[in-house]
Amino acid sequence: MMSKILHIDASVRAAINANPNHNSISKNIASRLINSWKQQLPIHEYIYRDVGMNPPPFINQDWIDAVFTPDNKRTEAQRDVLSISDQLIAEVSSSDILVISSPMYNYGMPAQLKAWFDQIIRINKTFDFDLARGDFPLQPLLAAKILIIITSSGEFGFEKDGIRHDMSHLVPHIRTLSKYLGVEKIYEITSEYQEFGDHRHIESLENAFQKAEEVVSKLADSFR
């Protein structure tokens, strides 16, 4: 099988900074995962986007008007408005492994990552709509993709049955939206306790690095 990877980083921080305390944790875990993949088997196609540092534009009324205008009736200006969306959708469509790394900002995803999702989840491109389906008219058009979600948070206990489970709006949101990227299998890697800065954070980070390598080893077997 071919391994075509789309790697999205969402942190507004760089992976390496003059002050190591400002290094992006999520980006460094994702980097470990990609490097581990390269060591275990070749990547046939690799697309990288740092949406944290180079975010796509927010959608607006002109974008919505263009989306709901039939292809053969769109003006040149409308095609221009959708050009970034078309490119981002093509990147998702051509990939079979999606790696999304993101910090938790205010208990949810960064606005830059939400902007990326908004550009991609688009009617007649990644989903269609048919009221004949009753109360569930939306149906994804993409399929058979694997998603690796890498997250970092300052607090802890956001997992199921965790003490902050009801405050977790990052991974649940990504999981919900991933359906419209064609995702059928999800792996999660997380680092917590950053704001505490104690041994729990160090252990959580090391566990995340280890989990990244374990996920790659597990996936590599199916791509050989």
Side-chain angles (χ1 to χ4, degrees):
M1 294 177 63
M2 302 289 282
S3 59
K4 298 181 179 180
I5 298 176
L6 172 60
H7 175 187
I8 304 296
D9 278 340
S11 175
V12 300
R13 287 180 166 177
I16 304 298
N17 290 284
N19 182 346
N21 291 327
H22 294 166
N23 291 352
S24 167
I25 292 172
S26 58
K27 283 181 177 177
N28 277 289
I29 298 170
S31 179
R32 175 74 68 90
L33 183 140
I34 295 299
N35 288 335
S36 179
W37 192 287
K38 290 177 179 177
Q39 292 171 8
Q40 296 192 46
L41 73 168
I43 297 175
H44 298 94
E45 183 178 350
Y46 176 73
I47 303 170
Y48 176 72
R49 281 192 177 270
D50 185 339
V51 301
M53 297 243 178
N54 300 287
F58 293 130
I59 63 171
N60 55 24
Q61 181 168 292
D62 291 340
W63 188 94
I64 293 173
D65 288 344
V67 164
F68 286 97
T69 299
D71 289 354
N72 61 351
K73 293 185 178 180
R74 283 182 187 140
T75 65
E76 188 65 32
Q78 287 178 319
R79 286 192 287 272
D80 287 345
V81 165
L82 295 178
S83 61
I84 293 175
S85 174
D86 290 338
Q87 182 179 355
L88 297 178
I89 290 170
E91 292 173 356
V92 171
S93 298
S94 68
S95 302
D96 42 45
I97 301 242
L98 310 176
V99 177
I100 298 178
S101 86
S102 176
M104 177 181 282
Y105 290 164
N106 296 318
Y107 303 102
M109 70 172 69
Q112 294 89 338
L113 181 57
K114 179 61 163 53
W116 179 81
F117 275 110
D118 287 345
Q119 289 282 353
I120 291 168
I121 300 175
R122 182 173 140 197
I123 192 166
N124 297 327
K125 285 291 188 178
T126 51
F127 74 94
D128 64 9
F129 184 92
D130 186 352
L131 286 174
R133 300 187 187 113
D135 289 342
F136 296 91
L138 279 69
Q139 182 71 35
L141 297 175
L142 304 177
K145 300 187 187 301
I146 295 170
L147 170 62
I148 303 170
I149 305 173
I150 298 170
T151 60
S152 60
S153 60
E155 294 175 291
F156 65 96
F158 296 103
E159 70 280 1
K160 184 179 180 180
D161 299 325
I163 63 173
R164 293 182 177 86
H165 174 68
D166 62 341
M167 300 169 69
S168 175
H169 305 289
L170 174 56
V171 172
H173 198 178
I174 294 175
R175 276 184 161 271
T176 299
L177 298 179
S178 70
K179 174 181 178 181
Y180 300 102
L181 305 184
V183 170
E184 296 181 2
K185 178 67 175 177
I186 298 176
Y187 296 87
E188 294 181 24
I189 302 168
T190 186
S191 173
E192 301 180 306
Y193 300 98
Q194 182 181 5
E195 297 302 329
F196 296 87
D198 55 19
H199 68 93
R200 295 174 298 176
H201 172 56
I202 296 172
E203 291 171 2
S204 182
L205 181 57
E206 287 303 317
N207 287 338
F209 283 132
Q210 182 177 344
K211 179 76 176 291
E213 295 182 358
E214 290 173 355
V215 167
V216 171
S217 296
K218 185 172 183 178
L219 287 173
D221 291 338
S222 63
F223 282 88
R224 287 195 174 94

